[in-house]
Amino acid sequence: MPGIVIVGAQWGDEGKGKITDLLAEDADAVVRFQGGNNAGHTIVRDGVEWKLHLIPSGILYPGKCCVIGNGVVIDPKVLIDELDSLRARRVDIGGLRISANAHLIMPYHLLLDSAGEAKLGSLQIGTTRRGIGPCYADKAARLGIRVQDLLDEKILKKKIVAAMEPKRLSLRPYEKDPSLDLRTMTEEYLTYGHRLEQHIADTAKLMWEFLGEGKKVIFEGAQGAMLDIDHGTYPFVTSSNPLAGAACVGSGVGPKNIDEIWGISKAYTTRVGAGPFPSELHDEMGEKIRSRGGEFGTTTGRPRRTGWLDLVALRYAANLNTLTSLVITKLDVLSGLDRISVCTSYRGAEGAEFEDFPYHQTVLHHTTAELTELRGWKEDLGECRTVSDLPDAAREYLQFISEHTGTPVALVGVGPGREQVIWTEAAQQSLLTRDGRPASGQPSAL
Ligand code: GDP
Ligand code: IMO
Ligand code: MG
């Protein structure tokens, strides 16, 4: 021990990459436990931007143990491209370990993802079309192909045949697609196996060893609570569990190994893809937040939908994850507003007020946000490094979030740069801070 989980507390893109990179400085290992290359995690160091899709956000520390856990679905081509591009930028990737039990995204998963969306027409989910859903479906159907299968040609071929057979009908339009040729596919995947072999390991055992020796392990989530396949806005969700509970299953450790759970949230809300979003703004303010916050998808480049901070959803996420700390990113984006609104409850179609996230999809789809107005501030926050540097109104905003969610705010993001962060007193209690002291700044209470 200790194990610290970092999860998205909204609909993804909250800044998990930046925070994981920051906290990984004092950690011994970083492990991704779910999702795949639908994720896009951004790190900005010394003005240089890094975008990671599959590789954990600890990779920029030379030799740091970075694990792709068994719960992740891996497109090996994307992984190899990512490794090559890091190597070309002189990043030491020697610490990367890949679970032999992780499932592989195959060419037919990509085709099925797009075909599924096309079939849904106006009801489509707006997936990233990276084959995530079909891959997890095959895993559940026990037709999945795993990383370890890349090391055995005979098994690989047999498994591909078995996996493609039941999809014959849906794959018919792609019959002539060269990527579906059994021989070509097997050869291609065997080549990937050769490339990745040196990184393949029994990663669960590795985690037991690290945690057993008292080393610090960060479990890096992808997506966010509201995209969770069980508790999110189903069916407008991803196909895995981005909640802290999945960190154990997706990496092979037990719940007793988790000591802290940090939820990341922007100071407002965004969502990519379709689905309910009660606090969405369709006006000039929404556009202002999108352009000031650079709200365009890291993976697909799609414009993100924007809205006020949804505290009903955030409190729900705090409960689903038992968050021990909150990190509020992008507070800087809200500078310059006279008033800032936050969604504190939902109003149903028949006038009922919901303070808790409604469990019924039909109810949720017809709710609108009830807003509370708070004071805004004019000052640019980019240079703030301590709580006392923040304008009073910004501090009040953070206090309001903390009180409403019952969770202390440990870190505040005031810009994309690694150094643009404020450590509060709450962070001082964390096991992640070296010798009980934060890595930078003099912390104080909000
Ligand atoms: P992730 O998927 O949760 O890792 O988040 P993304 O990388 O997809 O999106 C977050 C975006 O916000 C990235 O472009 C980050 O560089 C940027 N970012 C992170 N924290 C802050 C912050 O505090 N302020 C500002 N202005 N940008 C931030
Ligand atoms: P990170 O880790 C934001 C969304 C997609 C779509 C839905 C299902 O960067 O926060 P999928 O391809 O997973 O089947 O798509 O989930 N989605 C994300 N939205 N951030 C992500 O990852 C996402 N990964 C998937 O836009 O609505
Ligand atoms: Mg992202």
Side-chain angles (χ1 to χ4, degrees), residues 310-352:
D310 181 342
L311 287 175
V312 180
L314 191 57
R315 201 172 58 225
Y316 181 55
N319 284 327
L320 289 169
N321 285 295
T322 57
L323 294 183
T324 56
S325 294
L326 262 178
V327 174
I328 303 297
T329 60
K330 298 195 142 183
L331 190 64
D332 53 299
V333 175
L334 296 184
S335 287
L337 304 178
D338 292 327
R339 315 284 297 166
I340 297 176
S341 296
V342 276
C343 167
T344 41
S345 64
Y346 296 157
R347 183 74 59 193
E350 275 145 34

Side-chain angles (χ1 to χ4, degrees), residues 221-390:
Q223 291 82 50
M226 306 310 292
L227 289 171
D228 183 88
I229 190 162
D230 285 279
H231 300 280
T233 51
Y234 192 91
F236 301 99
V237 293
T238 192
S239 298
S240 67
N241 295 106
L243 296 177
C248 295
V249 183
S251 63
V253 307
K256 279 172 117 178
N257 283 128
I258 307 298
D259 300 275
E260 290 185 24
I261 301 158
W262 288 41
I264 320 295
S265 167
K266 286 176 190 172
Y268 48 91
T269 309
T270 65
R271 169 165 208 173
V272 214
F277 181 175
S279 68
E280 184 167 13
L281 288 164
H282 296 280
D283 57 6
E284 262 172 43
M285 182 57 74
E287 191 51 55
K288 196 170 181 172
I289 293 176
R290 180 161 34 251
S291 62
R292 293 193 56 175
E295 296 299 349
F296 297 88
T298 311
T299 298
T300 58
R302 290 178 288 177
R304 294 174 183 147
R305 298 158 65 193
T306 53
W308 295 120
L309 183 64
D310 181 342
L311 287 175
V312 180
L314 191 57
R315 201 172 58 225
Y316 181 55
N319 284 327
L320 289 169
N321 285 295
T322 57
L323 294 183
T324 56
S325 294
L326 262 178
V327 174
I328 303 297
T329 60
K330 298 195 142 183
L331 190 64
D332 53 299
V333 175
L334 296 184
S335 287
L337 304 178
D338 292 327
R339 315 284 297 166
I340 297 176
S341 296
V342 276
C343 167
T344 41
S345 64
Y346 296 157
R347 183 74 59 193
E350 275 145 34
E353 193 175 359
F354 295 90
E355 289 191 348
D356 293 320
F357 200 77
Y359 70 87
H360 202 293
Q361 197 197 343
T362 315
V363 173
L364 177 66
H365 276 260
H366 292 101
T367 56
T368 49
E370 287 289 302
L371 300 173
T372 302
E373 275 202 345
L374 301 171
R375 280 203 298 153
W377 60 89
K378 293 276 176 246
E379 296 86 336
D380 186 281
L381 306 185
E383 298 300 322
C384 296
R385 294 293 176 270
T386 63
V387 170
S388 52
D389 292 341
L390 287 172

Side-chain angles (χ1 to χ4, degrees), residues 11-17 38-42 52-53 222-223 266 272 296-299 304:
W11 276 274
D13 301 325
E14 301 90 347
K16 298 176 291 293
N38 47 351
H41 295 181
T42 316
L52 299 167
H53 299 285
Q223 291 82 50
K266 286 176 190 172
V272 214
F296 297 88
T298 311
T299 298
R304 294 174 183 147

